[in-house]
Amino acid sequence: MYEPYPTPELSHEHKKYRYSSLWESAKQDFKVLIFLLLIAGLIGLGSGHFWLCIAIGFSVFTALQVRALYLVNEWISSRPYDAPPNINGIWGALLFNIYRTQRQERVVQAEMVSLIDRAQASLFALTEAVVITDELHQIEWCNPAAERILGIKASDHGNNILGILRRPAFVEYFQDMEQHPDGIKIESSLYEGHYVQIKLTRFGVESRLLVAYDVTRIHNLEQMRKDFVDNISHELRTPLTVLSGYLETFQEQDDFNPRWRRAFDQMQSQTRRMNALVNDLLLLSRLESEKKIIKNQIVDMPSLMTQLFDDAQAYNTEYRHILHLEIDSHCDLIGSDMELASAFGNLITNAIKYTPKGNGHITIGWHDDQEHGYFTVQDNGIGIDLKHLPRLTERFYRVDSARSRQTGGTGLGLAIVKHVLMQHGAYLEIESIPNEGSCFKAIFPKECLYQSEN
Ligand code: ADP
């Protein structure tokens, strides 16, 4: 353990103070005083100068006290870390108390220093970059990995971090951390083609702790996965179009053998399913590469809702549910109309699909409370068990795969909904009771609402 000053061992003389109280020590002084006065009194009586000898006795006692005081002062002012001088009486006890408090403080201090040393050594050994900034965004401390990953050196101490890490995405994140609770990924400014994940944590008044690590490998794997899905979906599109084209042509032939009707119908329905799957995969891949989506259109909600309702009526002919439309808002949405229509459409077709035929009430609604906009789809269908809800928006997650396939589902509908909403800063809330029904609610932030004139 590191000790700023070595702590001397207590002598036997000092140890006696450990158990004696201040009053015990004062009693020692009294004994000395009485002894001196007794001697002085006896000498005074013998010599006939009683009061003079008593005065001399007092003076000797005072001189002893002054000497003790002098030693105390000398120790305090010049050698406070040495063991205190051996002094009897109240001054000795006082000195010991000061010394004991100091010893305890030194032990605590040594423990603190050792702890700080260990914490610093472990931060130095980290492969992740760690940077601490103060309330003025100036760099207070950084570890060696910060230089390797971010280019921030120990000599940058006192410099503004935003002057070093200048990427707009980082500056925006630094100023509004709540927007990205999981941190952000930015391209490295040191090495081309490298990516760094950065997470900021606020502490104290306005200080920040930055932790960053290289995520190039994960980024590349993720990119490979996206490219693969994108490419394969594009490659499948052409053969599927050719297949369904021929299937239709064959069935329209006058000499088409009715014996093949069932097989051809099945082939056609499977090609349709595959087509839907490819389209959903392409849409998801487009949603993931955020840049390609224009999100600043004003989406006329009454007309979109009417359009969605008409589509739902058409889809509903086979299911024969009763559909309701409720619009209770004068707000439009700011976003991407195609993507929003696709997400809302998915929620509506799900409600129709997962409600037993002929027996359903499905309500499609749009309303707002000035702070948020709510697009809701309520059904009285089969419902979903609570345990499935957290995983429902994962790709290909189905509560009942057989049922989903039977209804022509791709297993990507809710994943698309989640991505579209994320792109708009919105989120999905699901409430459901098995055998009673479900309510899917897309909740939009105020920034997405546009107050229409009428
Ligand atoms: P799918 O193409 O299978 O419908 P989704 O991603 O749209 O895929 O939905 C995922 C799963 O969530 C569905 O398979 C279904 O089990 C369940 N689900 C979605 N909407 C509803 C609903 N309104 N009522 C009951 N279950 C639903």
Side-chain angles (χ1 to χ4, degrees):
M1 193 202 312
Y2 169 80
E3 280 199 66
Y5 303 100
T7 312
E9 272 304 302
L10 283 181
S11 71
H12 178 70
E13 281 299 311
H14 288 115
K15 280 178 187 159
K16 74 182 178 211
Y17 293 115
R18 191 171 294 175
Y19 309 106
S20 56
S21 68
L22 216 58
W23 171 237
E24 288 294 319
S25 311
K27 276 202 304 202
Q28 274 187 3
D29 284 339
F30 280 128
K31 278 182 199 162
V32 172
L33 179 62
I34 289 164
F35 175 74
L36 282 174
L37 291 180
L38 217 66
I39 300 286
L42 286 173
I43 297 171
L45 284 175
S47 63
H49 298 287
F50 180 77
W51 290 113
L52 180 66
C53 289
I54 291 288
I56 291 171
F58 260 120
S59 303
V60 172
F61 180 74
T62 312
L64 286 173
Q65 294 299 307
V66 170
R67 178 183 164 270
L69 198 61
Y70 169 77
L71 289 173
V72 169
N73 181 53
E74 197 191 15
W75 178 75
I76 288 178
S77 53
S78 58
R79 300 194 302 270
Y81 300 109
D82 290 350
N86 284 335
I87 305 170
N88 285 329
I90 199 157
W91 292 114
L94 198 72
L95 217 55
F96 174 74
N97 281 342
I98 295 173
Y99 181 64
R100 191 181 50 186
T101 317
Q102 257 188 7
R103 262 171 71 99
Q104 282 166 353
E105 270 174 14
R106 255 177 285 156
V107 170
V108 173
Q109 198 182 353
E111 277 172 5
M112 295 281 289
V113 170
S114 148
L115 199 71
I116 292 169
D117 275 358
R118 282 176 63 77
Q120 204 166 34
S122 55
L123 286 174
F124 264 66
L126 271 182
T127 47
E128 286 87 2
V130 180
V131 183
I132 295 172
T133 60
D134 63 15
E135 56 275 20
L136 298 172
H137 310 336
Q138 288 167 348
I139 295 166
E140 264 186 349
W141 187 89
C142 64
N143 68 351
E147 183 170 0
R148 283 198 308 277
I149 296 173
L150 301 168
I152 297 176
K153 302 182 278 295
S155 56
D156 287 323
H157 181 270
N159 291 345
N160 193 316
I161 192 165
L162 298 178
I164 301 173
L165 300 179
R166 292 199 211 136
R167 295 230 174 245
F170 176 74
V171 176
E172 197 185 306
Y173 173 46
F174 197 89
Q175 282 157 355
D176 188 5
M177 287 159 52
E178 278 69 36
Q179 288 268 336
H180 306 273
D182 299 328
I184 54 158
K185 184 169 74 178
I186 58 166
E187 210 174 334
S188 165
S189 44
L190 299 181
Y191 312 103
E192 209 179 312
H194 276 241
Y195 288 84
V196 176
Q197 179 75 24
I198 298 183
K199 173 91 178 78
L200 288 167
T201 311
R202 194 177 273 128
F203 69 98
V205 184
E206 260 299 307
S207 302
R208 285 172 174 80
L209 172 76
L210 178 154
V211 178
Y213 49 95
D214 194 295
V215 286
T216 311
R217 217 172 69 86
I218 301 169
H219 173 86
N220 290 345
L221 282 171
E222 182 82 343
Q223 197 53 48
M224 256 168 66
R225 180 190 63 79
K226 279 184 200 160
D227 290 348
F228 175 76
V229 174
D230 209 26
N231 290 339
I232 206 109
S233 311
H234 274 295
E235 290 301 326
L236 281 172
R237 233 180 177 179
T238 321
L240 276 173
T241 319
V242 174
L243 262 177
S244 54
Y246 275 121
L247 285 172
E248 248 171 59
T249 320
F250 278 133
Q251 290 193 81
E252 281 163 9
Q253 295 299 312
D254 295 335
D255 56 349
F256 182 75
N257 190 338
R259 274 201 307 155
W260 293 104
R261 173 73 57 203
R262 205 167 155 262
F264 267 76
D265 279 350
Q266 271 183 1
M267 281 195 268
Q268 206 154 31
S269 103
Q270 291 305 321
T271 5
R272 237 179 266 131
R273 258 199 71 203
M274 275 182 80
N275 223 353
L277 189 65
V278 164
N279 285 339
D280 278 359
L281 281 172
L282 281 172
L283 176 56
L284 257 179
S285 144
R286 205 155 54 83
L287 287 168
E288 276 181 337
S289 57
E290 297 167 25
K291 286 168 225 147
K292 292 183 200 158
I293 294 162
I294 308 152
K295 285 172 283 184
N296 54 6
Q297 297 160 333
I298 293 168
V299 184
D300 179 348
M301 279 309 275
S303 100
L304 175 64
M305 293 295 284
T306 317
Q307 175 67 47
L308 288 168
F309 190 71
D310 291 346
D311 294 347
Q313 294 279 25
Y315 185 72
N316 185 42
T317 39
E318 184 194 335
Y319 292 87
R320 302 181 314 280
H321 300 310
I322 298 163
L323 305 186
H324 310 268
L325 179 66
E326 285 177 2
I327 303 176
D328 183 17
S329 165
H330 294 295
C331 286
D332 286 331
L333 270 178
I334 304 170
S336 160
D337 57 357
M338 261 175 59
E339 276 72 27
L340 285 170
S342 162
F344 295 161
N346 275 332
L347 292 178
I348 298 169
T349 41
N350 275 353
I352 297 176
K353 276 192 314 193
Y354 296 111
T355 300
K357 279 184 185 170
N359 168 19
H361 279 271
I362 288 153
T363 308
I364 307 161
W366 169 241
H367 67 278
D368 75 276
D369 60 7
Q370 301 295 321
E371 287 302 312
H372 295 96
Y374 304 90
F375 174 84
T376 52
V377 182
Q378 170 107 45
D379 66 55
N380 60 345
I382 59 169
I384 308 155
D385 199 291
L386 197 67
K387 69 173 187 236
H388 296 290
L389 295 186
R391 299 195 56 193
L392 222 53
T393 53
E394 283 175 22
R395 282 155 209 234
F396 299 113
Y397 187 86
R398 287 140 163 160
V399 174
D400 179 348
S401 303
R403 186 179 198 128
S404 171
R405 264 190 215 103
Q406 210 184 326
T407 53
T410 61
L412 293 171
L414 291 182
I416 291 174
V417 173
K418 181 179 130 183
H419 269 85
V420 172
L421 295 186
M422 255 164 54
Q423 292 264 2
H424 290 81
Y427 60 97
L428 186 66
E429 230 178 57
I430 310 168
E431 284 168 22
S432 189
I433 302 173
N435 303 320
E436 284 194 24
S438 315
C439 179
F440 284 74
K441 199 183 273 181
I443 304 175
F444 290 85
K446 199 177 182 176
E447 299 77 61
C448 280
L449 300 182
Y450 178 81
Q451 197 79 36
S452 42
E453 262 120 54
N454 43 22

